[in-house]
Amino acid sequence: MKRTLTLHTKEGYQLEIRRLYHLELQEIQALMFDVISRLPFQDLFAMDDENGFLDLFNGQGEIYGAFNNGTLVAYSVLAFPGVSESNLGSEFGVLEVELPLFTRPMYGGKNRHCYSKRLIGLKNEGL
């Protein structure tokens, strides 16, 4: 059963948010290529390939999409990298045993996970 969340933007748009699956891979890629084609410097955009998306669909994450009048207009990826080279925790000095628990800090300095708060606290203490 597909669960859908309906949101109304302040501009008056109605968006339906729901989890995406294998069958929607073509829509995801079409949106990604459309966005990339509009960027002034396309080489600065890190693009997932089909295998990356398939890994997400097969248990390494989830993808959620926002639809306006049935058209995919945005998507977001929630990745579960575990202990792998795609886990950015190693770049923050996270121990391998703690990598499955790590989530990186969000943009704007807001933290999503207490582990990143701990790292920042240790950094502030000079450790």
Side-chain angles (χ1 to χ4, degrees):
M1 179 174 92
K2 292 185 181 179
R3 295 182 182 170
T4 301
L5 172 67
T6 302
L7 301 173
H8 298 275
T9 68
K10 59 184 173 183
E11 293 84 10
Y13 296 105
Q14 179 175 311
L15 297 175
E16 292 184 1
I17 312 290
R18 65 174 172 79
R19 187 172 174 183
L20 304 178
Y21 295 93
H22 291 89
L23 295 174
E24 290 142 324
L25 179 56
Q26 230 176 349
E27 285 180 83
I28 295 167
Q29 289 181 310
L31 176 60
M32 180 178 62
F33 290 128
D34 180 50
V35 169
I36 293 168
S37 73
R38 298 166 193 261
L39 296 175
F41 303 105
Q42 296 174 8
D43 56 335
L44 299 178
F45 183 80
M47 182 173 60
D48 285 327
D49 61 11
E50 185 172 340
N51 289 330
F53 285 112
L54 292 175
D55 288 342
L56 293 166
F57 290 130
N58 291 321
Q60 293 181 8
E62 298 173 357
I63 302 175
Y64 292 86
F67 293 81
N68 180 283
N69 293 322
T71 300
L72 182 66
V73 295
Y75 70 88
S76 182
V77 172
L78 175 63
F80 311 127
V83 179
S84 71
E85 63 184 45
S86 63
N87 190 323
L88 297 177
S90 58
E91 294 182 27
F92 287 99
V94 177
L95 300 174
E96 186 172 320
V97 71
E98 294 179 331
L99 281 175
L101 305 173
F102 179 76
T103 336
R104 67 179 180 212
M106 289 178 66
Y107 301 106
K110 298 178 183 174
N111 296 300
R112 296 192 315 186
H113 193 278
C114 59
Y115 190 89
S116 64
K117 290 179 185 178
R118 184 175 127 213
L119 287 178
I120 291 169
L122 292 173
K123 182 180 175 184
N124 290 340
E125 293 173 14
L127 300 176

